[in-house]
């Protein structure tokens, strides 16, 4: 966690200045409190990742940057499967430790401002679509070693951004639907959302590649 420490030069002490000190302290405490509330609204308290609302703003900017450079943006909705049972078996402290460890993995892979924790064990990511299946496979392999091996399978839904999807929130909803289609898969897996054949840069090397139902298991 981050702490704000303010140092102020109040000058030479005089009785008149001493009378102003309580008001100054109140003003500083009020400013710190307001800053703390602002941080809580922008970032998740447990993981430090951007909140959902803040992520929508950051993801829109990231999408626009990718498009301006000729890239293809993709939205990922990610779920750790079985969190309720994990907490029952190992305790909530261990569950929080896993969430923090997975968040750090997302940050290393995609960058802090490109990720979000939506709540519970749900995450979102905006990234480039290039070689996405391969990068997700690497994420799945790394996640299997998190938290001393006390971890969970990862489900990921992939939605390629196109001009028919104007809002980031709409792309996230489609990615969430794709993620839900992996629910019955016992291992880490990814599923594609709806996208056009020409605009979906999925892997062409796999014989089983299908835009709407492609899964990648570790």
């Amino acid at each position: 966690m981050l702490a704000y420490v303010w140092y102020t030069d109040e000058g030479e002490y005089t009785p008149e200045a001493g009378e102003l000190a309580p008001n100054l302290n109140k003003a500083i405490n009020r400013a710190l409190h307001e800053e703390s509330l602002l941080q809580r609204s922008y970032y998740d308290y447990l993981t430090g990742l951007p909140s959902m609302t803040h992520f929508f703003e950051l993801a829109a900017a990231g999408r626009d940057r990718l498009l301006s450079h000729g890239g293809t943006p993709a939205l990922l909705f990610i779920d750790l499967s079985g969190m309720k049972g994990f907490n029952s078996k190992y305790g909530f402290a261990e569950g929080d430790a896993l969430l923090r460890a997975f968040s750090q993995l997302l940050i290393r892979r995609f960058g802090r401002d490109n990720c979000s924790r939506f709540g519970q064990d749900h995450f979102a990511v905006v990234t480039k679509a290039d070689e996405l299946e391969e990068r997700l496979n690497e994420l799945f392999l790394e996640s299997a070693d998190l938290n001393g091996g006390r971890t969970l399978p990862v489900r990921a839904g992939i939605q390629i951004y196109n001009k028919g999807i104007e809002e980031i929130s709409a792309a996230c909803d489609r990615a969430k639907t794709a993620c839900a289609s992996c629910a019955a898969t016992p291992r880490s897996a990814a599923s594609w959302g709806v996208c056009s054949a020409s605009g979906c840069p999925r892997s062409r090397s796999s014989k089983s590649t299908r835009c709407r139902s492609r899964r990648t298991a570790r």
Side-chain angles (χ1 to χ4, degrees):
M1 299 296 291
L2 298 178
Y4 289 90
V5 181
W6 287 13
Y7 296 94
T8 59
D9 183 1
E10 300 178 4
E12 182 179 357
Y13 175 80
T14 65
E16 292 79 8
E19 294 175 359
L20 297 175
N23 292 331
L24 177 61
N25 288 334
K26 288 180 181 179
I28 292 175
N29 288 335
R30 183 168 56 251
L32 290 174
H33 178 65
E34 292 173 354
E35 180 68 19
S36 176
L37 292 177
L38 186 63
Q39 287 293 320
R40 290 181 185 181
S41 68
Y42 282 170
Y43 295 95
D44 176 59
Y45 75 96
L46 179 65
T47 64
L49 291 176
S51 65
M52 179 174 64
T53 303
H54 190 36
F55 171 75
F56 287 158
E57 299 172 351
L58 295 172
R63 172 203 61 195
D64 293 344
R65 283 194 300 272
L66 282 169
L67 290 172
S68 68
H69 288 85
T72 302
L75 269 295
L76 309 179
F77 187 91
I78 300 174
D79 172 67
L80 295 179
S81 180
M83 199 72 203
K84 183 177 180 179
F86 186 93
N87 286 333
S88 297
K89 182 176 182 179
Y90 297 112
F92 287 101
E94 195 71 16
D96 287 348
L98 175 57
L99 291 173
R100 286 192 293 267
F102 186 71
S103 298
Q104 290 302 309
L105 175 58
L106 291 180
I107 291 171
R108 291 196 301 272
R109 283 281 173 182
F110 302 104
R112 182 170 179 257
D113 286 346
N114 296 322
C115 308
S116 175
R117 182 190 177 210
F118 279 11
Q120 300 180 358
D121 56 352
H122 306 310
F123 299 84
V125 172
V126 60
T127 185
K128 60 183 180 180
D130 301 347
E131 300 178 342
L132 190 50
E133 288 182 342
E134 290 79 1
R135 290 190 288 135
L136 281 174
N137 272 325
E138 293 172 358
L139 176 75
F140 295 158
L141 290 172
E142 284 194 62
S143 68
D145 295 324
L146 289 177
N147 200 39
R150 289 184 175 181
T151 186
L152 289 168
V154 179
R155 314 280 190 254
I158 308 166
Q159 179 60 52
I160 301 300
Y161 177 83
N162 57 62
K163 293 182 179 180
I165 306 174
E166 298 297 335
E167 299 293 335
I168 291 294
S169 58
C172 283
D173 286 342
R174 295 192 183 192
K176 182 178 180 179
T177 300
C179 180
S181 70
C182 297
T185 307
R187 297 181 295 173
S188 293
S191 180
W192 290 93
V194 177
C195 61
S196 64
S198 60
C200 183
R202 62 193 183 277
S203 172
R204 302 289 183 179
S205 61
S206 172
K207 295 180 181 179
S208 62
T209 295
R210 291 181 296 168
C211 184
R212 303 184 71 169
S213 61
R214 169 65 175 158
R215 289 183 176 84
T216 306
R218 64 174 176 82

